[in-house]
Amino acid sequence: MRKVTYSMGLSLDGYVNGPDGTFDWPGFGEEVFAFSIEEIRRVDVHLMGRNLYETMLYWQDPAEQPGFGEAEWTWARLWNPLPKVVFSRTLSSVEGAATLATRSLADEIEALRAQPGDGDIAIGGASLAKQAAELGLIDEYWMRVYPVLVGGGNTYFAHDEQRVDLELLDARTFTSGVQFLRYGVVR
């Protein structure tokens, strides 16, 4: 069965963005970006909320980004054709390989798990991931922990008073001080 993974960067104090909505943190460089490229190669479909969808539109037309180097072009070539399902109550249309969700999150994941394939079903966006966590739908947490304390913002983890036991599957320290941690949910 295909795994559901939640992968995002977060500050050391557990936020995916700061109080002002930014995530321009120290440590993101070529090495971490190359790792993110390898990570996206494992994904068959990406589920996301409106905020992440709108943020990721940046990659939609790489020709419009004059500062793109080889790594950015590689990411765009992988990201753009990747099927995406957007969960939104306000959007009426989406672009590129994205579609608007027509089912509940649980039903969408159930349908995707039933499809053939061995790539991950990735969830991005803290709000959507919190919903998936509350429903017990996440199989693995993939974290890139940045060396910064931001003091507030949107949290990476759901705070729903639900205990989830985890098992460390992989860990890596980048030269920039960013830590990658991959945990599997113990069922």
Side-chain angles (χ1 to χ4, degrees):
M1 186 180 332
R2 296 162 77 183
K3 291 183 304 198
V4 175
T5 61
Y6 171 33
S7 176
M8 283 191 77
L10 67 150
S11 63
L12 186 59
D13 53 351
Y15 297 97
V16 298
N17 57 19
D20 60 357
T22 62
F23 50 91
D24 56 344
W25 302 338
F28 186 82
E30 291 178 21
E31 184 182 27
V32 174
F33 193 56
F35 185 81
S36 296
I37 289 171
E38 291 311 308
E39 183 180 332
I40 202 67
R41 290 181 195 277
R42 298 174 53 136
V43 174
D44 276 352
V45 60
H46 204 288
L47 311 181
M48 63 183 66
R50 180 189 55 81
N51 287 338
L52 183 60
Y53 167 73
E54 289 176 344
T55 298
M56 296 304 286
L57 285 174
Y58 169 81
W59 298 98
Q60 192 68 27
D61 190 358
E64 294 295 317
Q65 307 298 339
F68 270 19
E70 183 178 332
E72 288 86 357
W73 276 94
T74 299
W75 172 268
R77 281 191 296 272
L78 293 167
W79 177 256
N80 287 329
L82 181 69
K84 300 163 201 73
V85 180
V86 180
F87 291 81
S88 174
R89 291 183 288 277
T90 58
L91 293 176
S92 58
S93 65
V94 289
E95 299 176 28
T99 59
L100 283 169
T102 57
R103 302 178 266 215
S104 71
L105 179 59
D107 289 344
E108 190 69 48
I109 288 174
E110 181 181 344
L112 289 168
R113 283 190 199 255
Q115 293 177 3
D118 56 358
D120 295 341
I121 300 166
I123 294 182
S127 297
L128 189 64
K130 286 175 189 175
Q131 292 173 37
E134 289 168 357
L135 295 168
L137 298 173
I138 297 176
D139 299 306
E140 292 185 5
Y141 290 86
W142 292 43
M143 296 168 268
R144 286 173 308 284
V145 182
Y146 288 82
V148 63
L149 303 171
V150 297
N154 293 324
T155 59
Y156 178 92
F157 293 104
H159 292 278
D160 58 359
E161 299 183 16
Q162 176 183 354
R163 178 183 167 136
V164 178
D165 292 324
L166 303 172
E167 140 185 52
L168 182 64
L169 302 174
D170 192 11
R172 179 175 177 183
T173 302
F174 296 98
T175 56
S176 63
V178 172
Q179 290 273 320
F180 169 72
L181 301 169
R182 180 176 151 228
Y183 284 96
V185 173
V186 177
R187 303 217 193 263

